[in-house]
Amino acid sequence: MKVTVERAALLKALGHVHRVVERRNTIPILSNVLLRADDGGLRLKATDLDMEVTETIVADIAQPGATTVPAHVIYDIVRKLPEGAQISLEVSGDSTQMVLRSSRSRFNLQALPESDFPDIAAGELPHAFAVPPGDFKRLIEKTQFAISTEETRYYLNGIYLHAIDGDDGPVLRAVATDGHRLARIEVAAPEGTAGMPGVIVPRKAVAEILKLLEDSGDAVQVSLSPAKIRLDFGGVVLTSKLIDGTFPDYQRVIPAGNDKTLIVDRAEFARSVDRVSTISSERGRAVKLSLTDGRLTLTVNNPDSGSATEEIEVEYEAAALDIGFNARYLMDITGQLDGDTAILKLADPGSPTLIQDREGAAALYVLMPMRV
Amino acid sequence: MANAAPDRGFLCRDCLNCGPVPAGARPRCTACGSPRSLIHPERDSLAIAHIDCDAFFAAVEKRENPALADRPVIIGGGRRGVVSTACYVARIHGVRSAMPMFKALEACPDAVVIRPRMALYAQVGRQVREMMRALTPLVEPLSIDEAFLDLGGTERLHGASPALTLARFARQVEEEVGISVSVGLSYNNFLAKIASDRDKPRGFSIIGRAEAQVYLAGQPVGILPGVGRVAQERLARAGIRRIGDIAGRSLPDLMRIAGNDAQRLAKLARGEDSRRVEPERAAKSVSNETTFDTDIAALEVLEPILWELAEKVARRLRAGGIAGRTVVLKLKTRDFRNRTRTVSGLAPTQLATRLYAAARRLLVAECDGTAFRLIGIGAADLVDGALADQGDLADSDVVREKSRETAIATLRERFGDTIVKRGISLRHATPPAAGGRRSDEGGEG
């Protein structure tokens, strides 16, 4: 194999693929990135066995071939080479080493053969559709925070992506929950989503997808089966296994009959929650919301450090109510809302609360109260 | 320092008479003639006590059945079981705690073997503990039958020195409860415990400040808390067998031998122990385990046993108003290796189904053909029971399961344990009533 590439192109591609590679690996080949030079250019691929990312870049191919080298090492080398550099990659003879040259720099990298490199992308993906990049970003960005890290409920360790008939026609919907809060976002269903299975995209893939979306302006080509999902961002392709489990019936826990409506200025509310929660020493301390006619009092009590209270003007006409929430969760959710206002629909201090930026919004959040 | 006045140097443990020490090598009480005296220069200046009931389970059984008084009695169960407690008569024949039952019966063929009646022992243990609490609020129970007491500052209250209060207590337990205790009195926990062990049964031993280090120097290192078989071997390899050998080593030297424990050992060897008597130590875990008559390797045989243990743990969690966030599975293999597996970070639970589900997942991974002789399940990382099984956005089944288990518990309370059973516990090859297993109540303090 002998190829010459622009530093910028190689750096960008390595930047995309090397993140998949775990820092510590018991299987040596999983530390490596696969480099394959052929007619189409130079293809890079990295995997952690649950997901793989591939990207093809333009290269001057003098001699086709393939090898694998340590991903983080080659990424660091390319990163440190000067801007505008031309980089040549060459494997010759016994192929146990790859030589990387650029101007007066020369690196010999230990290589492992391509034949040892695992391939998880195989298999048919019968469902395919294209999602506008902004839509996909919304679906993921606004639900990601609610993904559970609890290993015993592994089926919550991802975003549940599924097609469903919404109030205004078919939608593509993303749901995530850790049991304490739930985020549900939907976008108009793209052509081809009808009949797709509901899938749970694991959190590591979600984080990668979000980063790859930042560099991509094109529509995302999605194809999936019940076991795998592939996203083509135009040049970069991510393939991930899906979580093999059943996502709970989230529809049941979205409150429909909450009759106490609280409307707040979103930014003011978030700042107030943030301020009063300063007094709590640990994350997850409850903030008490005391509601009376037109007035909301936020209180945090910390037996170790003191207490904080703040009053804000709100729209609230229902019966007086005291309810506690995890301050962190409240801020997470208000941080995801779009508009200037936030609508909280409450029932009682023991029941889940519904939070949206406006009635019927495409983004919907459910928050469990805390005892205060 | 309130050293014993010369004319009250003698304290009789039988009639509690105080007076000058009578002449003679083994002075007897001038009032009742008893030789059971307390004579020690620091007797009335020490306040930390360790009280340990003598052969507790056996003593309770002998109290219940006076015909057993002079017979060798062994508490323990099953052909495969081990000796839980041996009375002092059985100990004369060489029977020891934790000895396999068949060996115990070889040593003492006419021993009366009694299956443990934990509920009874717990009730007697509670009675003794209440009597301790009448002496001082600073009672730190170590187990069902032993505790540390800090009697500092109780002289005015009881109108007596701690030593006299304790002697009175020991006599009171014998009269009111019908079992005997041994008392150790010193200036810290660990010496008090060593003292109580020195003079069993019906003992009362004192280790004073002046003599502590000299006394310890001649003792084997194994009497120090936390120095078990492995540590003993490691110390012995470095030539340390007696506590005096520890005191003779420099700290850096000791650190090379004992690692992180060096500092603590050096302090103990000097007779120093900074632990205080901490009352009301909350339980850290609740567990139940059982030893099988014959080893079991099959998952489907272990499952119903695990389920019944989970039910017991759940019942105790409910009774204690606590809930666990960690589930521990304990297994002991045929060759006595322990396997402990843990899953933590669960939503607080006191439901048998939840405990069982978590433990079963762990069990499945361990069932690789290995034959086990013991299985146990525990709940740890305990929190307030009010937080248990609330359910959340992703788990609505738990609330229904909670009312189901509560209903079953109510039924069992009224009609007995066998009124309702889950299908899984009917999977036994032999009904449990036929005595397939020995059950040990667990529960670490």
Side-chain angles (χ1 to χ4, degrees), chain B residues 194-240:
Chain B
I194 287 174
S196 75
D197 230 22
R198 222 161 45 155
D199 186 25
K200 273 178 154 299
R202 289 189 84 212
F204 196 134
S205 176
I206 297 175
I207 297 179
R209 289 184 173 82
E211 75 203 278
Q213 203 164 345
V214 178
Y215 169 73
L216 285 173
Q219 298 300 311
V221 291
I223 67 166
L224 295 177
V227 180
R229 193 172 49 83
V230 177
Q232 279 178 51
E233 279 169 16
R234 195 172 55 212
L235 291 168
R237 275 199 299 278
I240 297 179

Side-chain angles (χ1 to χ4, degrees), chain A residues 244-318:
Chain A
D244 184 11
T246 308
F247 201 80
D249 179 9
Y250 66 89
Q251 308 266 36
R252 277 201 316 200
V253 299
I254 296 176
N258 287 7
D259 54 352
K260 301 186 174 68
T261 305
L262 164 68
I263 303 175
V264 296
D265 180 300
R266 186 176 69 85
E268 184 192 16
F269 178 68
R271 279 195 301 271
S272 293
V273 172
D274 192 12
R275 267 193 299 272
V276 292
S277 67
T278 315
I279 204 86
S280 62
S281 52
E282 55 189 79
R283 290 157 60 101
R285 193 63 70 91
V287 52
K288 185 168 88 174
L289 277 61
S290 306
L291 284 157
T292 52
D293 216 7
R295 173 154 303 181
L296 166 63
T297 309
L298 299 156
T299 318
V300 172
N301 262 311
N302 180 354
D304 300 327
S305 66
S307 65
T309 178
E310 191 159 327
E311 271 184 25
I312 50 177
E313 302 284 312
V314 294
E315 282 181 46
Y316 184 76
E317 287 162 3

